[in-house]
Amino acid sequence: MFRRHVAATVRRHEAQHGFDFDRNAELRYPPPLEEVAGAADHDGNASPLASSARAELSAYLSQVINDPVTPHAALWHLGSNVFNRHRWGTGEFYAGLVVIEGLARQLGLDTETPRRKKGELDRDRLGSFATQIAALSDDQLRAEASKLWTSLYAEPPTTIVDSAPIRLTSQ
């Protein structure tokens, strides 16, 4: 049962990549992502790292929004990239940073505090955000993630429904 659930949530993530690839025009490059992953060049093209971050931001945020059973698992899979020093500087790291800080901002947390302390990413600050985000119910998390998507991309998220939904039972 667990394997089928993981496969279903990964399918939703990959489906978002497919929808993004098939778009006539790319999703906008969200300003909070540009702040951490770098600016696009004069032609509007992002660096390979920024392009990766943009793609993963879209796919992971969509996965959280569309996961009917465990949106927290999708979020914290992304979030693990923020708390693992070996993942810092990757597209997933920047996407996770934008999602955690964006959700924290929506919850009214103090996101104006410096992101770095003594030149290092302040993981205590992010841990405080994560603790409060983790306290959200699944429905609240999906709703907040949907609001974040809309604020980042200035359009509603794509609804992705798995053709074989997974239901967790006590059996």
Side-chain angles (χ1 to χ4, degrees), residues 130-165:
T131 300
Q132 294 180 64
I133 294 166
L136 296 173
S137 72
D138 289 349
D139 287 340
Q140 290 170 321
L141 177 58
R142 283 188 288 268
E144 291 299 323
S146 184
K147 283 192 259 182
L148 180 58
W149 173 285
T150 302
S151 74
L152 292 172
Y153 296 112
E155 64 180 64
T158 302
T159 300
I160 300 173
V161 179
D162 196 304
S163 62

PDB file of all heavy atoms in Angstrom, residues 130-165:
ATOM      1  N   ALA A 130       9.110  25.736  10.346  1.00  0.00           N
ATOM      2  CA  ALA A 130       8.697  24.370  10.023  1.00  0.00           C
ATOM      3  C   ALA A 130       7.784  23.797  11.102  1.00  0.00           C
ATOM      4  O   ALA A 130       6.785  23.130  10.792  1.00  0.00           O
ATOM      5  CB  ALA A 130       9.925  23.482   9.841  1.00  0.00           C
ATOM      6  N   THR A 131       8.096  24.062  12.354  1.00  0.00           N
ATOM      7  CA  THR A 131       7.276  23.562  13.455  1.00  0.00           C
ATOM      8  C   THR A 131       5.852  24.094  13.355  1.00  0.00           C
ATOM      9  O   THR A 131       4.888  23.348  13.538  1.00  0.00           O
ATOM     10  CB  THR A 131       7.900  23.964  14.807  1.00  0.00           C
ATOM     11  OG1 THR A 131       9.210  23.392  14.889  1.00  0.00           O
ATOM     12  CG2 THR A 131       7.063  23.503  15.975  1.00  0.00           C
ATOM     13  N   GLN A 132       5.722  25.369  13.050  1.00  0.00           N
ATOM     14  CA  GLN A 132       4.387  25.959  12.962  1.00  0.00           C
ATOM     15  C   GLN A 132       3.651  25.523  11.696  1.00  0.00           C
ATOM     16  O   GLN A 132       2.435  25.333  11.721  1.00  0.00           O
ATOM     17  CB  GLN A 132       4.498  27.471  13.082  1.00  0.00           C
ATOM     18  CG  GLN A 132       5.003  27.835  14.494  1.00  0.00           C
ATOM     19  CD  GLN A 132       5.157  29.309  14.710  1.00  0.00           C
ATOM     20  OE1 GLN A 132       4.161  30.014  14.672  1.00  0.00           O
ATOM     21  NE2 GLN A 132       6.370  29.762  14.939  1.00  0.00           N
ATOM     22  N   ILE A 133       4.374  25.330  10.616  1.00  0.00           N
ATOM     23  CA  ILE A 133       3.746  24.826   9.386  1.00  0.00           C
ATOM     24  C   ILE A 133       3.290  23.381   9.594  1.00  0.00           C
ATOM     25  O   ILE A 133       2.206  22.992   9.158  1.00  0.00           O
ATOM     26  CB  ILE A 133       4.715  24.943   8.192  1.00  0.00           C
ATOM     27  CG1 ILE A 133       4.988  26.419   7.875  1.00  0.00           C
ATOM     28  CG2 ILE A 133       4.151  24.220   6.967  1.00  0.00           C
ATOM     29  CD1 ILE A 133       6.178  26.634   6.949  1.00  0.00           C
ATOM     30  N   ALA A 134       4.108  22.596  10.274  1.00  0.00           N
ATOM     31  CA  ALA A 134       3.774  21.189  10.518  1.00  0.00           C
ATOM     32  C   ALA A 134       2.518  21.036  11.359  1.00  0.00           C
ATOM     33  O   ALA A 134       1.853  19.995  11.298  1.00  0.00           O
ATOM     34  CB  ALA A 134       4.949  20.483  11.191  1.00  0.00           C
ATOM     35  N   ALA A 135       2.162  22.059  12.137  1.00  0.00           N
ATOM     36  CA  ALA A 135       0.963  21.997  12.972  1.00  0.00           C
ATOM     37  C   ALA A 135      -0.325  22.176  12.172  1.00  0.00           C
ATOM     38  O   ALA A 135      -1.416  21.923  12.693  1.00  0.00           O
ATOM     39  CB  ALA A 135       1.040  23.052  14.072  1.00  0.00           C
ATOM     40  N   LEU A 136      -0.215  22.596  10.913  1.00  0.00           N
ATOM     41  CA  LEU A 136      -1.409  22.757  10.080  1.00  0.00           C
ATOM     42  C   LEU A 136      -2.031  21.404   9.777  1.00  0.00           C
ATOM     43  O   LEU A 136      -1.327  20.404   9.597  1.00  0.00           O
ATOM     44  CB  LEU A 136      -1.048  23.439   8.758  1.00  0.00           C
ATOM     45  CG  LEU A 136      -0.521  24.859   8.811  1.00  0.00           C
ATOM     46  CD1 LEU A 136      -0.069  25.301   7.417  1.00  0.00           C
ATOM     47  CD2 LEU A 136      -1.564  25.813   9.366  1.00  0.00           C
ATOM     48  N   SER A 137      -3.337  21.374   9.671  1.00  0.00           N
ATOM     49  CA  SER A 137      -3.998  20.152   9.202  1.00  0.00           C
ATOM     50  C   SER A 137      -3.675  19.967   7.719  1.00  0.00           C
ATOM     51  O   SER A 137      -3.216  20.902   7.054  1.00  0.00           O
ATOM     52  CB  SER A 137      -5.516  20.267   9.399  1.00  0.00           C
ATOM     53  OG  SER A 137      -6.059  21.186   8.464  1.00  0.00           O
ATOM     54  N   ASP A 138      -3.951  18.784   7.206  1.00  0.00           N
ATOM     55  CA  ASP A 138      -3.726  18.543   5.775  1.00  0.00           C
ATOM     56  C   ASP A 138      -4.516  19.533   4.921  1.00  0.00           C
ATOM     57  O   ASP A 138      -3.983  20.090   3.959  1.00  0.00           O
ATOM     58  CB  ASP A 138      -4.116  17.110   5.402  1.00  0.00           C
ATOM     59  CG  ASP A 138      -3.165  16.064   5.954  1.00  0.00           C
ATOM     60  OD1 ASP A 138      -2.079  16.420   6.467  1.00  0.00           O
ATOM     61  OD2 ASP A 138      -3.514  14.866   5.867  1.00  0.00           O
ATOM     62  N   ASP A 139      -5.780  19.749   5.269  1.00  0.00           N
ATOM     63  CA  ASP A 139      -6.605  20.682   4.495  1.00  0.00           C
ATOM     64  C   ASP A 139      -6.053  22.101   4.568  1.00  0.00           C
ATOM     65  O   ASP A 139      -6.040  22.814   3.566  1.00  0.00           O
ATOM     66  CB  ASP A 139      -8.056  20.662   4.978  1.00  0.00           C
ATOM     67  CG  ASP A 139      -8.794  19.398   4.573  1.00  0.00           C
ATOM     68  OD1 ASP A 139      -8.355  18.715   3.632  1.00  0.00           O
ATOM     69  OD2 ASP A 139      -9.840  19.096   5.206  1.00  0.00           O
ATOM     70  N   GLN A 140      -5.621  22.524   5.756  1.00  0.00           N
ATOM     71  CA  GLN A 140      -5.048  23.863   5.894  1.00  0.00           C
ATOM     72  C   GLN A 140      -3.770  23.993   5.072  1.00  0.00           C
ATOM     73  O   GLN A 140      -3.549  25.008   4.420  1.00  0.00           O
ATOM     74  CB  GLN A 140      -4.742  24.169   7.363  1.00  0.00           C
ATOM     75  CG  GLN A 140      -5.962  24.370   8.227  1.00  0.00           C
ATOM     76  CD  GLN A 140      -5.596  24.426   9.706  1.00  0.00           C
ATOM     77  OE1 GLN A 140      -4.741  23.689  10.192  1.00  0.00           O
ATOM     78  NE2 GLN A 140      -6.267  25.332  10.432  1.00  0.00           N
ATOM     79  N   LEU A 141      -2.922  22.964   5.118  1.00  0.00           N
ATOM     80  CA  LEU A 141      -1.672  23.006   4.359  1.00  0.00           C
ATOM     81  C   LEU A 141      -1.953  23.112   2.860  1.00  0.00           C
ATOM     82  O   LEU A 141      -1.348  23.929   2.168  1.00  0.00           O
ATOM     83  CB  LEU A 141      -0.802  21.784   4.656  1.00  0.00           C
ATOM     84  CG  LEU A 141       0.495  21.700   3.853  1.00  0.00           C
ATOM     85  CD1 LEU A 141       1.377  22.929   4.075  1.00  0.00           C
ATOM     86  CD2 LEU A 141       1.245  20.424   4.206  1.00  0.00           C
ATOM     87  N   ARG A 142      -2.873  22.291   2.371  1.00  0.00           N
ATOM     88  CA  ARG A 142      -3.202  22.365   0.941  1.00  0.00           C
ATOM     89  C   ARG A 142      -3.735  23.752   0.571  1.00  0.00           C
ATOM     90  O   ARG A 142      -3.378  24.308  -0.459  1.00  0.00           O
ATOM     91  CB  ARG A 142      -4.212  21.273   0.569  1.00  0.00           C
ATOM     92  CG  ARG A 142      -3.597  19.896   0.432  1.00  0.00           C
ATOM     93  CD  ARG A 142      -4.597  18.891  -0.118  1.00  0.00           C
ATOM     94  NE  ARG A 142      -5.608  18.556   0.852  1.00  0.00           N
ATOM     95  CZ  ARG A 142      -5.542  17.538   1.701  1.00  0.00           C
ATOM     96  NH1 ARG A 142      -4.503  16.726   1.686  1.00  0.00           N
ATOM     97  NH2 ARG A 142      -6.523  17.317   2.548  1.00  0.00           N
ATOM     98  N   ALA A 143      -4.580  24.323   1.423  1.00  0.00           N
ATOM     99  CA  ALA A 143      -5.145  25.652   1.148  1.00  0.00           C
ATOM    100  C   ALA A 143      -4.052  26.723   1.165  1.00  0.00           C
ATOM    101  O   ALA A 143      -4.018  27.593   0.280  1.00  0.00           O
ATOM    102  CB  ALA A 143      -6.235  25.982   2.167  1.00  0.00           C
ATOM    103  N   GLU A 144      -3.157  26.674   2.142  1.00  0.00           N
ATOM    104  CA  GLU A 144      -2.068  27.653   2.212  1.00  0.00           C
ATOM    105  C   GLU A 144      -1.109  27.488   1.033  1.00  0.00           C
ATOM    106  O   GLU A 144      -0.630  28.470   0.470  1.00  0.00           O
ATOM    107  CB  GLU A 144      -1.321  27.552   3.545  1.00  0.00           C
ATOM    108  CG  GLU A 144      -2.133  28.011   4.740  1.00  0.00           C
ATOM    109  CD  GLU A 144      -2.569  29.458   4.665  1.00  0.00           C
ATOM    110  OE1 GLU A 144      -1.797  30.315   4.176  1.00  0.00           O
ATOM    111  OE2 GLU A 144      -3.700  29.756   5.106  1.00  0.00           O
ATOM    112  N   ALA A 145      -0.838  26.252   0.652  1.00  0.00           N
ATOM    113  CA  ALA A 145       0.035  26.000  -0.499  1.00  0.00           C
ATOM    114  C   ALA A 145      -0.604  26.529  -1.779  1.00  0.00           C
ATOM    115  O   ALA A 145       0.080  27.089  -2.645  1.00  0.00           O
ATOM    116  CB  ALA A 145       0.342  24.508  -0.617  1.00  0.00           C
ATOM    117  N   SER A 146      -1.903  26.383  -1.904  1.00  0.00           N
ATOM    118  CA  SER A 146      -2.609  26.897  -3.076  1.00  0.00           C
ATOM    119  C   SER A 146      -2.535  28.424  -3.129  1.00  0.00           C
ATOM    120  O   SER A 146      -2.300  29.013  -4.198  1.00  0.00           O
ATOM    121  CB  SER A 146      -4.066  26.429  -3.048  1.00  0.00           C
ATOM    122  OG  SER A 146      -4.737  26.825  -4.212  1.00  0.00           O
ATOM    123  N   LYS A 147      -2.697  29.075  -1.974  1.00  0.00           N
ATOM    124  CA  LYS A 147      -2.561  30.538  -1.925  1.00  0.00           C
ATOM    125  C   LYS A 147      -1.141  30.957  -2.299  1.00  0.00           C
ATOM    126  O   LYS A 147      -0.948  31.946  -3.008  1.00  0.00           O
ATOM    127  CB  LYS A 147      -2.906  31.058  -0.530  1.00  0.00           C
ATOM    128  CG  LYS A 147      -4.381  31.121  -0.235  1.00  0.00           C
ATOM    129  CD  LYS A 147      -4.628  31.910   1.033  1.00  0.00           C
ATOM    130  CE  LYS A 147      -4.881  30.967   2.173  1.00  0.00           C
ATOM    131  NZ  LYS A 147      -5.175  31.633   3.443  1.00  0.00           N
ATOM    132  N   LEU A 148      -0.167  30.199  -1.807  1.00  0.00           N
ATOM    133  CA  LEU A 148       1.224  30.526  -2.118  1.00  0.00           C
ATOM    134  C   LEU A 148       1.466  30.392  -3.619  1.00  0.00           C
ATOM    135  O   LEU A 148       2.100  31.256  -4.229  1.00  0.00           O
ATOM    136  CB  LEU A 148       2.188  29.636  -1.329  1.00  0.00           C
ATOM    137  CG  LEU A 148       3.669  29.881  -1.564  1.00  0.00           C
ATOM    138  CD1 LEU A 148       4.062  31.320  -1.242  1.00  0.00           C
ATOM    139  CD2 LEU A 148       4.505  28.892  -0.744  1.00  0.00           C
ATOM    140  N   TRP A 149       0.973  29.318  -4.224  1.00  0.00           N
ATOM    141  CA  TRP A 149       1.116  29.138  -5.675  1.00  0.00           C
ATOM    142  C   TRP A 149       0.579  30.367  -6.410  1.00  0.00           C
ATOM    143  O   TRP A 149       1.246  30.924  -7.285  1.00  0.00           O
ATOM    144  CB  TRP A 149       0.364  27.880  -6.127  1.00  0.00           C
ATOM    145  CG  TRP A 149       0.340  27.727  -7.613  1.00  0.00           C
ATOM    146  CD1 TRP A 149      -0.425  28.437  -8.506  1.00  0.00           C
ATOM    147  CD2 TRP A 149       1.139  26.851  -8.403  1.00  0.00           C
ATOM    148  NE1 TRP A 149      -0.155  28.033  -9.791  1.00  0.00           N
ATOM    149  CE2 TRP A 149       0.791  27.062  -9.759  1.00  0.00           C
ATOM    150  CE3 TRP A 149       2.090  25.890  -8.089  1.00  0.00           C
ATOM    151  CZ2 TRP A 149       1.379  26.354 -10.792  1.00  0.00           C
ATOM    152  CZ3 TRP A 149       2.673  25.169  -9.122  1.00  0.00           C
ATOM    153  CH2 TRP A 149       2.320  25.413 -10.459  1.00  0.00           C
ATOM    154  N   THR A 150      -0.629  30.779  -6.047  1.00  0.00           N
ATOM    155  CA  THR A 150      -1.261  31.904  -6.723  1.00  0.00           C
ATOM    156  C   THR A 150      -0.459  33.188  -6.540  1.00  0.00           C
ATOM    157  O   THR A 150      -0.292  33.964  -7.479  1.00  0.00           O
ATOM    158  CB  THR A 150      -2.717  32.079  -6.233  1.00  0.00           C
ATOM    159  OG1 THR A 150      -3.422  30.853  -6.491  1.00  0.00           O
ATOM    160  CG2 THR A 150      -3.412  33.228  -6.934  1.00  0.00           C
ATOM    161  N   SER A 151       0.095  33.385  -5.355  1.00  0.00           N
ATOM    162  CA  SER A 151       0.899  34.601  -5.136  1.00  0.00           C
ATOM    163  C   SER A 151       2.221  34.543  -5.895  1.00  0.00           C
ATOM    164  O   SER A 151       2.707  35.568  -6.367  1.00  0.00           O
ATOM    165  CB  SER A 151       1.140  34.834  -3.645  1.00  0.00           C
ATOM    166  OG  SER A 151       2.087  33.942  -3.122  1.00  0.00           O
ATOM    167  N   LEU A 152       2.799  33.357  -6.041  1.00  0.00           N
ATOM    168  CA  LEU A 152       4.068  33.228  -6.754  1.00  0.00           C
ATOM    169  C   LEU A 152       3.901  33.335  -8.264  1.00  0.00           C
ATOM    170  O   LEU A 152       4.726  33.940  -8.945  1.00  0.00           O
ATOM    171  CB  LEU A 152       4.743  31.893  -6.417  1.00  0.00           C
ATOM    172  CG  LEU A 152       5.252  31.717  -5.000  1.00  0.00           C
ATOM    173  CD1 LEU A 152       5.708  30.274  -4.784  1.00  0.00           C
ATOM    174  CD2 LEU A 152       6.383  32.689  -4.700  1.00  0.00           C
ATOM    175  N   TYR A 153       2.845  32.719  -8.788  1.00  0.00           N
ATOM    176  CA  TYR A 153       2.697  32.604 -10.238  1.00  0.00           C
ATOM    177  C   TYR A 153       1.596  33.476 -10.836  1.00  0.00           C
ATOM    178  O   TYR A 153       1.443  33.515 -12.051  1.00  0.00           O
ATOM    179  CB  TYR A 153       2.455  31.139 -10.625  1.00  0.00           C
ATOM    180  CG  TYR A 153       3.627  30.266 -10.284  1.00  0.00           C
ATOM    181  CD1 TYR A 153       3.536  29.307  -9.281  1.00  0.00           C
ATOM    182  CD2 TYR A 153       4.849  30.402 -10.939  1.00  0.00           C
ATOM    183  CE1 TYR A 153       4.622  28.500  -8.960  1.00  0.00           C
ATOM    184  CE2 TYR A 153       5.933  29.613 -10.621  1.00  0.00           C
ATOM    185  CZ  TYR A 153       5.807  28.664  -9.634  1.00  0.00           C
ATOM    186  OH  TYR A 153       6.880  27.873  -9.308  1.00  0.00           O
ATOM    187  N   ALA A 154       0.811  34.154 -10.008  1.00  0.00           N
ATOM    188  CA  ALA A 154      -0.277  35.019 -10.472  1.00  0.00           C
ATOM    189  C   ALA A 154      -1.281  34.269 -11.349  1.00  0.00           C
ATOM    190  O   ALA A 154      -1.836  34.824 -12.301  1.00  0.00           O
ATOM    191  CB  ALA A 154       0.267  36.250 -11.202  1.00  0.00           C
ATOM    192  N   GLU A 155      -1.499  33.018 -11.011  1.00  0.00           N
ATOM    193  CA  GLU A 155      -2.516  32.194 -11.663  1.00  0.00           C
ATOM    194  C   GLU A 155      -2.832  31.045 -10.726  1.00  0.00           C
ATOM    195  O   GLU A 155      -2.019  30.711  -9.859  1.00  0.00           O
ATOM    196  CB  GLU A 155      -2.037  31.665 -13.024  1.00  0.00           C
ATOM    197  CG  GLU A 155      -0.865  30.720 -12.957  1.00  0.00           C
ATOM    198  CD  GLU A 155      -0.438  30.232 -14.342  1.00  0.00           C
ATOM    199  OE1 GLU A 155      -0.004  31.056 -15.166  1.00  0.00           O
ATOM    200  OE2 GLU A 155      -0.536  29.014 -14.581  1.00  0.00           O
ATOM    201  N   PRO A 156      -3.996  30.431 -10.891  1.00  0.00           N
ATOM    202  CA  PRO A 156      -4.340  29.313  -9.999  1.00  0.00           C
ATOM    203  C   PRO A 156      -3.519  28.071 -10.343  1.00  0.00           C
ATOM    204  O   PRO A 156      -3.062  27.905 -11.481  1.00  0.00           O
ATOM    205  CB  PRO A 156      -5.826  29.087 -10.272  1.00  0.00           C
ATOM    206  CG  PRO A 156      -6.060  29.641 -11.631  1.00  0.00           C
ATOM    207  CD  PRO A 156      -5.074  30.753 -11.819  1.00  0.00           C
ATOM    208  N   PRO A 157      -3.328  27.194  -9.350  1.00  0.00           N
ATOM    209  CA  PRO A 157      -2.598  25.959  -9.627  1.00  0.00           C
ATOM    210  C   PRO A 157      -3.427  25.004 -10.487  1.00  0.00           C
ATOM    211  O   PRO A 157      -4.650  25.084 -10.528  1.00  0.00           O
ATOM    212  CB  PRO A 157      -2.359  25.362  -8.231  1.00  0.00           C
ATOM    213  CG  PRO A 157      -3.436  25.938  -7.379  1.00  0.00           C
ATOM    214  CD  PRO A 157      -3.744  27.297  -7.950  1.00  0.00           C
ATOM    215  N   THR A 158      -2.729  24.116 -11.165  1.00  0.00           N
ATOM    216  CA  THR A 158      -3.379  23.068 -11.944  1.00  0.00           C
ATOM    217  C   THR A 158      -3.884  21.996 -10.999  1.00  0.00           C
ATOM    218  O   THR A 158      -3.158  21.561 -10.101  1.00  0.00           O
ATOM    219  CB  THR A 158      -2.372  22.436 -12.925  1.00  0.00           C
ATOM    220  OG1 THR A 158      -1.851  23.464 -13.763  1.00  0.00           O
ATOM    221  CG2 THR A 158      -3.010  21.351 -13.769  1.00  0.00           C
ATOM    222  N   THR A 159      -5.121  21.575 -11.185  1.00  0.00           N
ATOM    223  CA  THR A 159      -5.651  20.468 -10.393  1.00  0.00           C
ATOM    224  C   THR A 159      -5.203  19.170 -11.043  1.00  0.00           C
ATOM    225  O   THR A 159      -5.421  18.956 -12.245  1.00  0.00           O
ATOM    226  CB  THR A 159      -7.188  20.529 -10.320  1.00  0.00           C
ATOM    227  OG1 THR A 159      -7.558  21.764  -9.703  1.00  0.00           O
ATOM    228  CG2 THR A 159      -7.749  19.366  -9.525  1.00  0.00           C
ATOM    229  N   ILE A 160      -4.562  18.324 -10.254  1.00  0.00           N
ATOM    230  CA  ILE A 160      -4.080  17.036 -10.755  1.00  0.00           C
ATOM    231  C   ILE A 160      -4.736  15.947  -9.923  1.00  0.00           C
ATOM    232  O   ILE A 160      -4.589  15.919  -8.694  1.00  0.00           O
ATOM    233  CB  ILE A 160      -2.546  16.936 -10.664  1.00  0.00           C
ATOM    234  CG1 ILE A 160      -1.903  18.056 -11.491  1.00  0.00           C
ATOM    235  CG2 ILE A 160      -2.069  15.553 -11.107  1.00  0.00           C
ATOM    236  CD1 ILE A 160      -0.404  18.161 -11.334  1.00  0.00           C
ATOM    237  N   VAL A 161      -5.458  15.072 -10.594  1.00  0.00           N
ATOM    238  CA  VAL A 161      -6.153  13.979  -9.925  1.00  0.00           C
ATOM    239  C   VAL A 161      -5.584  12.675 -10.459  1.00  0.00           C
ATOM    240  O   VAL A 161      -5.540  12.469 -11.674  1.00  0.00           O
ATOM    241  CB  VAL A 161      -7.678  14.046 -10.187  1.00  0.00           C
ATOM    242  CG1 VAL A 161      -8.394  12.892  -9.509  1.00  0.00           C
ATOM    243  CG2 VAL A 161      -8.232  15.381  -9.720  1.00  0.00           C
ATOM    244  N   ASP A 162      -5.163  11.819  -9.557  1.00  0.00           N
ATOM    245  CA  ASP A 162      -4.624  10.524  -9.951  1.00  0.00           C
ATOM    246  C   ASP A 162      -5.777   9.617 -10.370  1.00  0.00           C
ATOM    247  O   ASP A 162      -6.828   9.598  -9.731  1.00  0.00           O
ATOM    248  CB  ASP A 162      -3.860   9.906  -8.775  1.00  0.00           C
ATOM    249  CG  ASP A 162      -2.952   8.777  -9.205  1.00  0.00           C
ATOM    250  OD1 ASP A 162      -3.448   7.826  -9.817  1.00  0.00           O
ATOM    251  OD2 ASP A 162      -1.755   8.878  -8.940  1.00  0.00           O
ATOM    252  N   SER A 163      -5.585   8.869 -11.441  1.00  0.00           N
ATOM    253  CA  SER A 163      -6.655   7.997 -11.939  1.00  0.00           C
ATOM    254  C   SER A 163      -6.919   6.814 -11.021  1.00  0.00           C
ATOM    255  O   SER A 163      -7.971   6.202 -11.094  1.00  0.00           O
ATOM    256  CB  SER A 163      -6.313   7.493 -13.333  1.00  0.00           C
ATOM    257  OG  SER A 163      -5.133   6.717 -13.287  1.00  0.00           O
ATOM    258  N   ALA A 164      -5.978   6.503 -10.149  1.00  0.00           N
ATOM    259  CA  ALA A 164      -6.153   5.398  -9.203  1.00  0.00           C
ATOM    260  C   ALA A 164      -5.825   5.906  -7.806  1.00  0.00           C
ATOM    261  O   ALA A 164      -4.769   5.623  -7.273  1.00  0.00           O
ATOM    262  CB  ALA A 164      -5.253   4.219  -9.581  1.00  0.00           C
ATOM    263  N   PRO A 165      -6.737   6.699  -7.213  1.00  0.00           N
ATOM    264  CA  PRO A 165      -6.423   7.294  -5.911  1.00  0.00           C
ATOM    265  C   PRO A 165      -6.148   6.241  -4.854  1.00  0.00           C
ATOM    266  O   PRO A 165      -6.733   5.155  -4.864  1.00  0.00           O
ATOM    267  CB  PRO A 165      -7.659   8.115  -5.578  1.00  0.00           C
ATOM    268  CG  PRO A 165      -8.753   7.566  -6.420  1.00  0.00           C
ATOM    269  CD  PRO A 165      -8.103   6.990  -7.631  1.00  0.00           C
TER     270      PRO A 165
END
